Amino acid sequence: SQTIHQWPATLVQPVGSPLSLECTVEGTSNPNLYWYRQAAGRGLQLLFYSVGIGQISSEVPQNLSASRPQDRQFILSSKKLLLSDSGFYLCAWINWGTGELFFGEGSRLTVL
Amino acid sequence: QKEVEQNSGPLSVPEGAIASLNCTYSDRGSQSFFWYRQYSGKSPELIMFIYSNGDKEDGRFTAQLNKASQYVSLLIRDSQPSDSATYLCAVRYGNKLVFGAGTILRVKS
């Protein structure tokens, strides 16, 4: 069965510091991968998605970036965090048979 | 701009009642619709998906789709306190899912 892992689960970072969140998927090959962000009390905002190695589509302009160095690895990064980057970050992959998104357990980022 | 709209709530219902959650979407070309449940501090989990007009039932849950009105709803029968959560409506556009902001449901015992 497919599983998706995210880390770290929680982090507190100062404004201006760098960020790296990692996501890996097991049990499937060539998955479409997604990064969503959920601000406190808000819905899910799609940040990036990737259909293959090195292929990244950005949905919103911001100071975040994403990379896909391997088939089942998806990384979210920032060179300098802003207060507005605080939120719950979710990695997901899509089952094309049903269109269902499967989410990792999330990474909660607090920028101070 | 693909939009998915939900009433943020909170929607409060007594235990055992029917909870009705609603969602509208902007693009008539949408084909796939999803309801996710999210407990506080956790990631969303799928409850149901629906593709065709009409009703789809799964246990205590019924999803209803009306493409002409661009409207999808979720009914929860015999609501339980454990159903208290945020319910997210999602619409598939190509290879992406766009989510509504979610409706908070509170089931009072």
Side-chain angles (χ1 to χ4, degrees):
Chain A
S1 64
Q2 299 84 1
T3 57
I4 182 167
H5 303 283
Q6 279 185 249
W7 68 95
T10 307
L11 65 165
V12 180
Q13 296 285 100
V15 170
S17 64
L19 172 73
S20 180
L21 301 178
E22 296 196 27
C23 170
T24 59
V25 180
E26 297 176 358
T28 186
S29 59
N30 196 30
N32 275 27
L33 296 174
Y34 301 81
W35 278 112
Y36 283 87
R37 176 172 62 198
Q38 188 174 36
R42 305 288 294 276
L44 297 176
Q45 179 187 33
L46 179 61
L47 302 176
F48 300 96
Y49 70 95
S50 172
V51 300
I53 295 173
Q55 300 180 67
I56 307 294
S57 295
S58 174
E59 289 295 297
V60 292
Q62 57 205 330
N63 69 320
L64 299 172
S65 62
S67 63
R68 186 161 175 184
Q70 300 181 39
D71 181 45
R72 286 173 282 183
Q73 184 183 27
F74 203 20
I75 298 172
L76 183 69
S77 304
S78 175
K79 292 182 179 178
K80 290 186 177 181
L81 285 169
L82 306 172
L83 287 174
S84 57
D85 292 324
S86 294
F88 191 41
Y89 288 81
L90 290 158
C91 181
W93 72 274
I94 197 164
N95 178 335
W96 282 117
T98 60
E100 177 185 357
L101 272 179
F102 291 90
F103 290 92
E105 293 189 349
S107 298
R108 187 164 303 281
L109 169 66
T110 302
V111 182
L112 301 176
Chain B
Q1 181 78 3
K2 312 296 187 186
E3 295 185 348
V4 180
E5 300 287 341
Q6 295 182 255
N7 187 320
S8 62
L11 172 66
S12 294
V13 300
E15 184 175 356
I18 296 175
S20 178
L21 304 162
N22 305 315
C23 173
T24 58
Y25 58 95
S26 61
D27 190 339
R28 286 190 175 276
S30 305
Q31 296 296 321
S32 306
F33 307 87
F34 304 82
W35 282 101
Y36 282 79
R37 177 176 61 199
Q38 185 178 25
Y39 292 112
S40 181
K42 302 296 185 181
S43 57
E45 54 184 355
L46 183 71
I47 300 174
M48 295 185 66
F49 57 84
I50 185 167
Y51 302 150
S52 304
N53 271 331
D55 296 358
K56 179 182 179 182
E57 186 174 319
D58 183 1
R60 295 187 296 114
F61 299 94
T62 299
Q64 299 174 319
L65 175 60
N66 183 325
K67 291 186 177 181
S69 300
Q70 296 174 238
Y71 176 95
V72 58
S73 65
L74 180 70
L75 300 178
I76 307 175
R77 291 182 298 281
D78 188 24
S79 295
Q80 301 298 309
S82 59
D83 294 326
S84 297
T86 298
Y87 289 79
L88 301 167
C89 173
V91 179
R92 180 176 175 179
Y93 295 104
N95 57 2
K96 299 179 286 186
L97 257 65
V98 176
F99 285 81
T103 299
I104 298 171
L105 173 66
R106 295 177 180 160
V107 181
K108 299 178 179 179
S109 57

